[in-house]
């Protein structure tokens, strides 16, 4: 079955620290890839997406992600986190041509001021 | 703003009672989804729709049914609610008109508690 794995369930960082959240998926075909963010008490919002082309994609609020096809990975990065980045982050995959988007279990990030 | 409204936003019910959650969109998009969110599980797809009266099951469809009699409304029904269905339910839509891309816009969520 297709699945999405997020390596870290909880991450605690101090402000200005660098962030990298891991995401791997198990699907051998072409995929569209996403990172969503959910701030406390809110619904999910799109952070960034990859459909094709440059494997390094930039999203909102200084986030970026790199697609490495050979590793089936789509890791999320930010050079310097802020307290306002405290949220839960979800990696998601859509096998191209299908009607479903599959989500990982999420990573809760807490940034200490 | 994707124009998605979920109702009710909060509901407490008792085991064995039927519950219907409504998702309403204002922009006539083709694809609509129901997910449930539980700690440690992320979002899991319950059912989805790719057109009026066209629906299919997701990964956790047991105990749930859906209906879509018009483009703007997608209803999720729990025929006989159980405590394991206590969750936050999110409706989502895809705005793509050229085919599903996987990019979703979410509603505000409906928190359901089954006692």
């Amino acid at each position: 079955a297709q699945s999405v794995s997020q390596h870290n369930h909880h991450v605690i960082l101090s402000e200005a620290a660098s962030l990298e959240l891991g995401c791997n998926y198990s699907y051998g075909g072409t995929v569209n890839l996403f990172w969503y963010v959910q701030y406390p008490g809110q619904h999910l919002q799109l952070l960034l997406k990859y459909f094709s082309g440059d494997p390094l994609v930039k999203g909102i609020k200084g986030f970026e992600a790199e697609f490495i096809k050979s590793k089936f990975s789509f890791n999320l990065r930010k050079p310097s986190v802020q307290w306002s980045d405290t949220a839960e982050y979800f990696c998601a995959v859509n096998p191209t041509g299908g009607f479903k988007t599959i989500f990982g279990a999420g990573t809760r990030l807490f940034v200490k001021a | 703003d994707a124009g998605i409204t979920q109702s009710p936003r909060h509901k407490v019910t008792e085991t064995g009672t039927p519950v219907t959650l409504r998702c309403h969109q204002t922009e006539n998009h083709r694809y609509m989804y129901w997910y449930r969110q539980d700690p440690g599980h992320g979002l899991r797809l319950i059912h989805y729709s790719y057109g009026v009266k066209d629906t299919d099951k997701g990964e956790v469809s047991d105990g749930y049914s859906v209906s879509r009699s018009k483009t703007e409304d997608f209803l999720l029904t729990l025929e006989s609610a159980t405590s394991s269905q206590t969750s936050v339910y999110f409706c989502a839509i895809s705005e793509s008109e050229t085919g599903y891309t996987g990019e979703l816009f979410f509603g505000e969520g409906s928190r359901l508690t089954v006692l």
Side-chain angles (χ1 to χ4, degrees):
Chain A
Q2 299 155 1
S3 65
V4 179
S5 298
Q6 295 186 234
H7 311 304
N8 310 99
H9 296 297
H10 293 90
V11 173
I12 300 174
L13 296 173
S14 297
E15 275 195 314
S18 64
L19 170 71
E20 181 160 4
L21 301 181
C23 173
N24 286 89
Y25 62 93
S26 63
Y27 181 73
T30 306
V31 294
N32 295 330
L33 298 159
F34 308 87
W35 276 97
Y36 288 85
V37 60
Q38 185 178 32
Y39 297 103
Q42 297 186 23
H43 61 285
L44 277 76
Q45 304 168 47
L46 183 67
L47 201 54
L48 49 77
K49 61 187 177 185
Y50 172 81
F51 290 170
S52 64
D54 188 344
L56 184 63
V57 293
K58 295 188 183 300
I60 60 172
K61 303 186 180 185
F63 286 90
E64 64 179 31
E66 184 176 13
F67 171 49
I68 302 179
K69 188 175 180 179
S70 61
K71 295 185 177 180
F72 300 92
S73 70
F74 190 56
N75 292 353
L76 181 70
R77 299 195 291 249
K78 186 172 185 179
S80 176
V81 296
Q82 301 173 313
W83 176 81
S84 58
D85 293 324
T86 293
E88 190 161 15
Y89 294 82
F90 295 92
C91 181
V93 175
N94 162 240
T96 306
F99 292 126
K100 301 178 185 179
T101 301
I102 303 162
F103 286 80
T107 298
R108 286 186 182 271
L109 170 66
F110 180 72
V111 180
K112 298 183 291 184
Chain B
D1 185 357
I4 305 168
T5 305
Q6 291 186 230
S7 59
R9 295 289 313 281
H10 300 271
K11 185 172 182 66
V12 180
T13 191
E14 294 188 348
T15 297
T17 60
V19 176
T20 295
L21 305 180
R22 180 182 183 236
C23 179
H24 178 78
Q25 58 148 329
T26 59
E27 299 183 9
N28 293 320
H29 294 298
R30 178 182 175 189
Y31 302 99
M32 298 184 75
Y33 296 78
W34 277 109
Y35 285 87
R36 60 178 288 175
Q37 183 179 22
D38 304 287
H41 292 278
L43 274 78
R44 292 179 291 176
L45 181 63
I46 306 171
H47 281 280
Y48 64 100
S49 171
Y50 45 95
V52 173
K53 299 187 178 179
D54 290 324
T55 65
D56 206 348
K57 296 179 180 180
E59 58 187 308
V60 290
S61 59
D62 288 347
Y64 301 95
S65 63
V66 290
S67 66
R68 192 169 179 199
S69 58
K70 46 186 178 177
T71 302
E72 58 264 37
D73 287 327
F74 191 33
L75 304 180
L76 177 70
T77 297
L78 291 66
E79 300 291 345
S80 178
T82 67
S83 58
S84 64
Q85 293 175 311
T86 292
S87 187
V88 180
Y89 292 85
F90 285 98
C91 175
I93 62 105
S94 169
E95 294 188 337
S96 174
E97 297 303 323
T98 59
Y100 184 66
T101 65
E103 181 175 354
L104 295 170
F105 293 86
F106 286 85
E108 298 290 330
S110 295
R111 182 175 294 276
L112 175 66
T113 301
V114 183
L115 302 176

